[in-house]
Amino acid sequence: MKKTLLLLLISLLLVLVFCSTTKRYPNTYLIPNHYVGWVQIIYNQEGFKAIEVEQGRNIYKIPESGVLKTSTPDVEYGGIFEEFYYYDDQNKQQKLDVDQMIHGHSIGKGESVNSSGKIEGPTVLSFFVGTEAELKNHPDPGYPDEVMK
């Protein structure tokens, strides 16, 4: 009897965990061909497109400037599978070696605190595209001042 009850409770717990888990999509970053530098994705920006989901993946098409603004409210947190590609004018894609070409992956929130103690400013995801040697010549741009509210 105790064994049956224990199995029932474990089964119920597993069902609850799976039902409460938010669905996460893996990310694909499309970076302009031969781009070297910092990429910044700035969330919660009115008037910009939301991140598109294609074939079960979030698609981040980075513009030539390296800065992508999106109306998507925030980053999807937690461990996920990410792929990085260079793309050209014909949308031909070349997969990047993450260990060799992607560095300094970070997520930051606004850097000012209002009078009630709430952090202001949108989430910014950033990473460097290029070799480690190239990274040394490109200092981290930090949190973008122009997006502080």
Side-chain angles (χ1 to χ4, degrees):
M1 176 70 175
K2 286 183 180 181
K3 201 174 198 178
T4 304
L5 183 59
L6 181 61
L7 286 174
L8 182 61
L9 287 173
I10 290 172
S11 298
L12 180 61
L13 181 61
L14 288 173
V15 168
L16 289 173
V17 167
F18 284 113
C19 289
S20 66
T21 303
T22 303
K23 184 167 183 161
R24 299 266 342 268
Y25 294 109
N27 294 332
T28 297
Y29 299 94
L30 302 176
I31 301 159
N33 211 14
H34 305 296
Y35 180 87
V36 172
W38 285 93
V39 168
Q40 291 185 309
I41 300 166
I42 306 170
Y43 292 84
N44 201 25
Q45 300 296 289
E46 289 183 27
F48 290 89
K49 290 174 53 176
I51 298 303
E52 292 183 26
V53 178
E54 292 178 10
Q55 298 177 344
R57 299 189 68 83
N58 292 319
I59 306 297
Y60 293 82
K61 191 165 186 179
I62 309 302
E64 295 286 335
S65 68
V67 177
L68 174 65
K69 293 182 179 183
T70 177
S71 61
T72 300
D74 204 352
V75 146
E76 291 181 351
Y77 293 95
I80 56 168
F81 183 69
E82 297 182 309
E83 293 181 340
F84 298 80
Y85 295 87
Y86 275 139
Y87 71 91
D88 64 17
D89 292 338
Q90 288 77 43
N91 205 30
K92 183 178 175 186
Q93 299 173 8
Q94 175 188 352
K95 190 169 187 175
L96 295 173
D97 181 335
V98 174
D99 294 330
Q100 299 294 316
M101 295 294 291
I102 305 297
H103 309 282
H105 209 265
S106 67
I107 299 171
K109 289 266 188 189
E111 295 182 340
S112 71
V113 178
N114 67 20
S115 59
S116 64
K118 182 180 177 210
I119 296 175
E120 294 181 333
T123 299
V124 177
L125 182 147
S126 62
F127 56 88
F128 183 80
V129 179
T131 65
E132 284 189 39
E134 291 168 321
L135 173 60
K136 292 177 184 176
N137 296 321
H138 292 82
D140 185 334
Y143 193 85
D145 291 333
E146 73 271 10
V147 297
M148 290 305 296
K149 295 179 179 176

